[in-house]
Amino acid sequence: MSLPALLEQRLRLPLIAAPMFLVSNPALVGACCNAGIVGSFPALNQRDSQGFRAWLDEIQASLSADAAPYAVNLIVHHSNPRLQADLAICVERRVPIVITSLGAVKEVVDAVHGYGGLVFHDVTTRRHAEKAAEAGVDGLIAVAAGAGGHAGTWSPFALLAEIRQFFDKTLLLSGCLNHGHELLAAQLLGADLGYMGTRFIASQESNASDDYKRMILGAHAADIVHTPAVSGVPASFMRQSLEQAGYDLKQLQNKADINYGEKLKPVDDEAKAWKTVWSAGQGVGGIDDLPAVGELVARLDGEYRAALQQAGRLGQRWPR
């Protein structure tokens, strides 16, 4: 188990609330951090870099003295025209944790390390993990089968085991985590932290629409469609929202173009991806309420500690 000094003794639970496009906002991030877990958001949730800087200031002002650190997600892809400007703001504001996606670039890692920040990187395969490790990242986020957003297809057993063969720094697991006992299970598989997204969409502070939240409450694992057709990268979406947006489910294996500049258009002109097509992971069937973040984290904490006790009892039961 490997946690950097920035996270040691600062977390109530071994958990990061994942950055979610158009869902994560300062209210959600601040509530997570003040409850004792890492809150995060994508820089592209603000329509320009000036707004991004303002959100950072708003979040920082909302944090209590003993709050957990926050994180920002940067899309490191050639189609993102704001990468350099947003990275400069992260350096200027000394963002504690930068989560990079769709590209592990040493120059980005070095810029964050220059002020003492951490870089965690999303991976879905061993090859992606090896390239990110070569770039010097501090942690890898294993986005396993069943996760929401840009998810992979590897079993968490396989993905974590192969990454641990060569990577001894911080390792996170994403995919179908809703409860405290699942956080403990992730650690037993070799992860240091859990990475939970869909569960926080269905919270009072999230920026998801009421219709989006209601759809999550009514959905099941069988409703999750993993397809590259929406944003060009394989991602998980709820079948109901795909149908409402007019997608032909028979054609969803046709790959769309990747263009993160498209996400920066005014809302009225934005492509269907993510605005009207709603992402969720296969764990959606285990979500049946819309709690405030503080209430949710307290529940997760109770579940996690009960699971620790249960694990101790199992340890007493099985030795021969």
Side-chain angles (χ1 to χ4, degrees), residues 42-252:
L44 295 183
N45 275 10
Q46 261 290 354
R47 311 316 292 173
D48 55 43
S49 293
Q50 182 178 356
F52 169 52
R53 181 188 282 109
W55 268 21
L56 292 178
D57 293 342
E58 181 180 347
I59 290 167
Q60 187 60 49
S62 74
L63 300 182
S64 62
D66 60 349
Y70 67 91
V72 165
N73 175 221
L74 295 180
I75 301 297
V76 185
H77 189 269
H78 63 81
S79 69
N80 178 11
R82 272 178 39 191
L83 173 60
Q84 293 304 320
D86 290 348
L87 175 60
I89 292 171
C90 288
V91 174
E92 171 192 313
R93 290 296 193 267
R94 303 176 70 88
V95 171
I97 303 169
V98 172
I99 297 170
T100 53
S101 303
L102 297 179
V105 177
K106 189 176 186 300
E107 289 74 16
V108 173
V109 175
D110 290 345
V112 177
H113 284 174
Y115 63 84
L118 300 174
V119 179
F120 293 163
H121 185 70
D122 287 341
V123 299
T124 58
T125 67
R126 178 182 181 129
R127 181 177 65 83
H128 293 151
E130 289 173 338
K131 292 177 66 174
E134 291 173 1
V137 300
D138 303 284
L140 294 174
I141 303 165
V143 187
H150 291 140
T153 58
W154 284 33
S155 160
F157 289 88
L159 188 54
L160 287 179
E162 292 212 12
I163 291 173
R164 274 301 186 212
Q165 290 175 6
F166 63 89
F167 190 76
D168 62 0
K169 297 180 183 178
T170 304
L171 182 55
L172 300 86
L173 177 62
S174 172
C176 302
L177 302 181
N178 286 328
H179 300 286
H181 61 271
E182 293 159 353
L183 291 179
L184 181 59
Q187 291 181 307
L188 292 174
L189 285 177
D192 299 294
L193 301 167
Y195 198 67
M196 191 178 291
T198 306
R199 174 62 271 192
F200 284 91
I201 299 174
S203 68
Q204 292 183 19
E205 289 88 348
S206 97
N207 197 46
S209 68
D210 290 342
D211 287 341
Y212 189 170
K213 294 177 182 180
R214 280 193 293 269
M215 188 175 289
I216 283 180
L217 297 185
H220 301 282
D223 295 314
I224 304 305
V225 179
H226 188 246
T227 175
V230 177
S231 64
V233 178
S236 298
F237 299 93
M238 287 184 284
R239 171 189 54 79
Q240 298 91 328
S241 69
L242 289 163
E243 291 173 339
Q244 289 179 8
Y247 280 87
D248 181 352
L249 298 186
K250 295 180 180 179
Q251 301 297 321
L252 284 183

Side-chain angles (χ1 to χ4, degrees), residues 252-280:
L252 284 183
Q253 293 309 308
N254 295 332
K255 188 175 181 179
D257 292 332
I258 303 174
N259 189 338
Y260 280 85
E262 187 77 9
K263 293 179 181 292
L264 303 179
K265 290 184 177 182
V267 173
D268 289 344
D269 295 333
E270 190 172 331
K272 286 182 178 179
W274 307 99
K275 179 63 180 176
T276 58
V277 180
W278 297 328
S279 180

